[in-house]
Amino acid sequence: MSAVLNAEPRGAAFAPAAPAGPHAVVIGSGFGGLAAAIRLSALGWRVTVLEKLDAPGGRAYVHRQDGYTFDAGPTIITAPFLLDELWALCGRRFADDVELRVVSPFYRIRFADGSWFDYTGDAQAMRAEVARFNPADVAGYERFLAEAERCYALGFEDLGSKAFDSFADLLAAVPAMTRMRAWRSLHGMVASHIRDPKLRTVFTLQSLLIGGNPFGVTCVYSLIASLERRWGVHYAMGGTGAIVRAMARLLESRGVAIRCNAEVARIDCEPQGGRSRATGVTLADGTRLAADIVVSNADTAWTYRRLIAPEHRRHWSDRRIDAGRYSMSLFVWYFGTRRQYPDVPHHLMLLGPRYEGLLDDIFRKHRLAEDFSLYLHRPTATDASMAPPGCDAFYVLAPVPHLDSGTDWRAQAEPYRQAIERVLEDSVLPGLGDNLATSRVTTPLDFRDRLLSLKGAAFGLEPHLLQSAWFRPHNRSEDIDGLFMVGASTHPGAGVPGVLSSAKALESVLPPVSAFASKG
């Protein structure tokens, strides 16, 4: 039933694990769960990580097929200092375990008419790219960057790793929200500085990487532009899965078990003083694990709706959960080719003929449109080890509505994949059909049934203003003592920096280990 990963410890940890300390059970081994387990262990908790799948990673799972390696989810690392922090807590250096390489350009954005914008970290090159589309927008671009810097300082540095635990926390953040004018949409903010429609797209589509509609998500997420400029866009050699494996080795070196094939069926709760308290978990096979606290890296809506009985949930009632506005889902096609495509950069956005209209279909109408925009990932542009010699590995991702669209993905998956193949073959991958070596897809059904995400939404609640910060599911449960949340669907939100920061926010609301001293 369980699997413990092998590790090769390197020296003594800075903060040794406490095998007799209070017990924390972490549900899920995505980036958020692994980061939480590392931080808990460094604080002196005895930690057990439970993973439904047969290997760690969650959305960052790795598929290996026919000699090709595919990162299932995240592909971009933009805040390496958050990983450095985790290793430093254990007296180690992240760079000793994982090699990061800066990708340049960060990504290429290709429009339906064949023109493209190379997005880089070079300030002069970026001004030149803006001027190539519209010289009159260079000054506006500089104003946009200044606003993005302010949002980074206030929204990420000041608020990103602090839990919004009480209404007082929300009130304390109001001055920062006011300075950022956070009620504006990202697209509205960009449009106030930049006039060219293509450039407006270039500087707003990043919010899609964290599940947000640029026309609805708060302008606070302009901080992504600043984050990328400050720290760069990185690729982990061996794929994002190399980071997951290194985190797992780090945990095992501290005596933390990761139990795979261990799906949690219920979070056990008991009444206590007019509220409820989490006392452990029960697995799908009936095994019960007692715990002093439970930390869920699972989708928060799924956690409350499926793992906790309604009588323990006053705030996150079924009605409140069902009334939420959920993010888009994703259709992902992983494929390998027998030839290489050296003209294709590491990260390529291929935009369709519509922008706002397509996003309206996805987020508001929940309608699967005939056209689409794509993100194409070619890791072999940087790392030849991801495919056999002379070959390329790819994944291509299309934002699609979550399962409220009513799309029959069992019937629709292959026609949709074929449509994507035709677009790629006609644009950037000539001869694709004749050179396919291996293929697999992920649909919204996989997000629901394999990754246990409500409605198959890939990023939890959509991150508009009234579903962000204090309005997002809290890092410390509003309903149940001893229950905590990390990952994409709690504060601060999705994306690798967001989920790693959620584990940092967790620290601010944990009970001290000393509170359980009598149990040690």
Side-chain angles (χ1 to χ4, degrees):
M1 180 193 71
S2 65
V4 179
L5 302 180
N6 293 325
E8 297 177 1
R10 300 184 189 176
F14 179 74
H23 187 209
V25 165
V26 177
I27 303 172
S29 66
F31 274 116
L34 294 174
I38 291 168
R39 290 184 177 274
L40 285 163
S41 176
L43 289 170
W45 291 84
R46 178 169 52 91
V47 184
T48 301
V49 180
L50 302 174
E51 172 54 54
K52 170 184 179 285
L53 303 179
D54 62 355
R59 285 166 172 75
Y61 188 86
V62 176
H63 299 296
R64 293 181 176 84
Q65 183 170 298
D66 299 328
Y68 295 80
T69 301
F70 304 103
D71 284 321
T75 60
I76 295 173
I77 302 298
T78 54
F81 64 91
L82 292 172
L83 293 163
D84 291 336
E85 282 183 12
L86 296 175
W87 263 252
L89 289 172
C90 304
R92 303 268 287 274
R93 293 178 68 250
F94 173 70
D96 290 338
D97 291 333
V98 179
E99 178 188 355
L100 293 183
R101 291 190 184 177
V102 176
V103 176
S104 185
F106 290 170
Y107 34 86
R108 175 172 293 165
I109 301 165
R110 186 183 189 276
F111 295 94
D113 63 6
S115 62
W116 71 78
F117 185 105
D118 276 348
Y119 199 113
T120 72
D122 184 293
Q124 185 174 348
M126 284 292 286
R127 284 192 291 269
E129 282 290 88
V130 171
R132 191 164 61 83
F133 280 78
N134 185 15
D137 274 331
V138 173
Y141 165 66
E142 298 286 358
R143 293 193 299 272
F144 160 70
L145 289 182
E147 276 218 71
E149 280 289 313
R150 181 161 60 249
C151 289
Y152 176 85
L154 298 172
F156 186 80
E157 291 185 327
D158 291 353
L159 303 177
S161 58
K162 295 179 181 177
F164 280 77
D165 198 47
S166 67
F167 192 68
D169 295 325
L170 173 63
L171 293 178
V174 167
M177 294 293 189
T178 302
R179 288 182 64 191
M180 292 184 286
R181 293 187 287 166
W183 53 85
R184 296 173 299 163
S185 71
L186 175 59
H187 193 275
M189 186 264 259
V190 170
S192 71
H193 298 300
I194 294 172
R195 300 190 65 179
D196 185 86
K198 288 182 178 178
L199 292 177
R200 288 177 175 179
T201 299
V202 165
F203 296 109
T204 58
L205 59 76
Q206 293 82 359
S207 68
L208 291 167
L209 301 175
I210 51 95
N213 181 350
F215 293 89
V217 71
T218 170
C219 68
V220 174
Y221 287 101
S222 65
L223 66 84
I224 297 172
S226 181
L227 188 72
E228 291 173 339
R229 289 178 70 243
R230 283 172 175 247
W231 300 99
V233 168
H234 301 261
Y235 171 79
M237 296 301 288
T240 309
I243 302 177
V244 171
R245 293 189 296 275
M247 295 175 84
R249 291 194 302 269
L250 187 64
L251 283 168
E252 189 174 356
S253 74
R254 301 181 58 75
V256 175
I258 300 176
R259 297 177 59 176
C260 295
N261 300 307
E263 181 178 353
V264 172
R266 183 177 69 244
I267 295 173
D268 300 319
C269 301
E270 294 180 358
Q272 188 178 91
R275 283 173 58 88
S276 293
R277 180 168 193 85
T279 59
V281 300
T282 297
L283 304 185
D285 68 0
T287 303
R288 186 178 185 279
L289 280 75
D292 295 290
I293 65 170
V294 175
V295 179
S296 180
N297 180 216
D299 176 64
T300 53
W302 187 279
T303 297
Y304 283 115
R305 194 76 157 81
R306 301 298 180 89
L307 301 185
I308 300 169
E311 60 266 26
H312 299 297
R313 297 186 275 112
R314 294 181 180 177
H315 183 84
W316 288 108
S317 63
D318 289 355
R319 182 177 179 181
R320 182 186 291 267
I321 293 168
D322 293 343
R325 281 173 48 187
Y326 289 84
S327 73
M328 65 190 183
S329 192
L330 303 171
F331 179 91
V332 190
W333 176 31
Y334 310 90
F335 61 96
T337 59
R338 298 184 187 91
R339 56 161 287 191
Q340 293 181 326
Y341 291 86
D343 293 334
V344 176
H346 192 120
H347 301 293
L348 177 63
M349 317 289 188
L350 292 100
L351 303 185
R354 298 186 302 149
Y355 188 50
E356 184 174 9
L358 176 61
L359 294 175
D360 196 52
D361 281 342
I362 293 170
F363 284 91
R364 302 194 186 283
K365 297 178 181 177
H366 300 141
R367 183 178 74 88
L368 184 65
E370 292 184 1
D371 59 320
F372 37 69
S373 288
L374 305 171
Y375 160 56
L376 181 66
H377 180 226
R378 179 180 171 244
T380 36
T382 303
D383 185 355
S385 73
M386 304 295 279
C391 301
D392 265 338
F394 292 93
Y395 94 31
V396 61
L397 173 157
V400 296
H402 59 59
L403 290 172
D404 278 0
S405 70
T407 302
D408 181 357
W409 281 105
R410 291 179 180 85
Q412 189 65 33
E414 180 55 18
Y416 198 73
R417 186 206 65 76
Q418 290 174 2
I420 291 173
E421 180 183 328
R422 286 192 295 271
V423 167
L424 292 175
E425 187 157 26
D426 291 343
S427 56
V428 295
L429 300 179
L432 173 58
D434 292 335
N435 286 280
L436 280 177
T438 193
S439 173
R440 67 182 300 147
V441 300
T442 288
T443 78
L445 290 176
D446 294 293
F447 280 93
R448 184 192 67 187
D449 300 337
R450 188 169 184 269
L451 297 173
L452 305 185
S453 181
L454 197 70
K455 299 177 184 281
F459 304 92
L461 290 168
E462 183 184 345
H464 62 73
L465 184 60
L466 295 182
Q467 292 187 159
S468 299
W470 186 78
F471 301 100
R472 203 162 180 82
H474 291 188
N475 300 103
R476 173 162 52 185
S477 174
E478 300 93 323
D479 287 311
I480 298 164
D481 294 334
L483 176 62
F484 302 86
M485 305 288 167
V486 295
S489 51
T490 184
H491 174 73
V496 176
V499 299
L500 293 177
S501 294
S502 74
K504 196 171 181 179
L506 170 69
E507 284 195 39
S508 66
V509 290
L510 283 172
V513 170
S514 59
F516 300 89
S518 61
K519 295 186 179 184

